Amino acid sequence: MMELLQKMLMMRQFTFGAGEAKILGQRIVLAPVDVVAPITEAAIENSEIRKKLYEHIRTKFNERWADGVKKMYGFKAQDYFKFLIDLSKLGGWGEGTLIEFNPQTFEGKFVNSNSPMGTYFKGRAKEPVDHSWRGIAAGGLSKAFGKDIDWVE
């Protein structure tokens, strides 16, 4: 993770300007978990909000952020997938590990330990809580492989 950060800083791909932060030319927001947690809590409490949140993040991440990065750097699908895993670690979304992946069926197993939402809601939630992360992962993978991919927790 630190190697990726060092490369990005050296190549001026992690930048800060007047009221903005960017990674790979794409605008980001650095926010405490307490900003994201209430959104997740609303999604946990309301299945309609949960569906809309997941689908909106999945679609917009695919169309905007993931698309811009893929076009800028011309990643091949598998390389982009690995890059997104490393970038998610750098972004604080947890320690993601790809256990298995079948590129023909687009099915696999991914473990994300030390997730901010998992940690925040530990012992309080009775169902999956990483709806924002699922949307980001599904949008990124959809862009990487050029196929509509869903992410199930």
Side-chain angles (χ1 to χ4, degrees), residues 2-147:
M2 292 309 292
E3 183 180 321
L4 177 61
L5 177 60
Q6 288 172 339
K7 282 181 186 178
M8 290 173 67
L9 287 170
M10 246 177 27
M11 295 172 63
R12 298 176 194 244
Q13 294 301 308
F14 195 157
T15 60
F16 298 91
E20 69 179 22
K22 291 184 177 182
I23 292 180
L24 304 169
Q26 302 291 316
R27 188 108 184 236
I28 63 167
V29 176
L30 303 173
V33 170
D34 291 319
V35 171
V36 180
I39 298 165
T40 300
E41 193 157 22
I44 291 169
E45 293 170 358
N46 185 310
S47 64
E48 286 304 310
I49 291 174
R50 181 171 48 247
K51 290 174 192 171
K52 285 180 182 179
L53 176 69
Y54 168 76
E55 200 52 46
H56 184 78
I57 292 173
R58 184 176 81 91
T59 302
K60 296 306 177 192
F61 189 79
N62 180 349
E63 292 172 355
R64 295 180 182 170
W65 208 92
D67 187 57
V69 171
K70 188 172 183 187
K71 283 179 181 173
M72 182 181 286
Y73 294 94
F75 287 108
K76 290 189 167 55
Q78 292 279 42
D79 294 334
Y80 192 39
F81 187 13
K82 291 175 184 170
F83 172 76
L84 289 172
I85 291 170
D86 289 342
L87 193 59
S88 70
K89 292 176 188 178
L90 179 63
W93 288 99
E95 183 63 31
T97 305
L98 183 63
I99 306 298
E100 60 186 65
F101 179 71
N102 182 331
Q104 281 73 43
T105 63
F106 299 99
E107 293 178 351
K109 183 177 182 182
F110 183 86
V111 175
N112 194 25
S113 57
N114 198 21
S115 137
M117 291 303 100
T119 302
Y120 188 91
F121 290 101
K122 186 176 183 173
R124 296 187 290 154
K126 294 178 174 44
E127 58 186 56
V129 296
D130 267 334
H131 307 296
S132 297
W133 164 245
R134 287 189 320 113
I136 292 168
L141 286 177
S142 295
K143 184 52 63 185
F145 292 101
K147 179 177 172 69

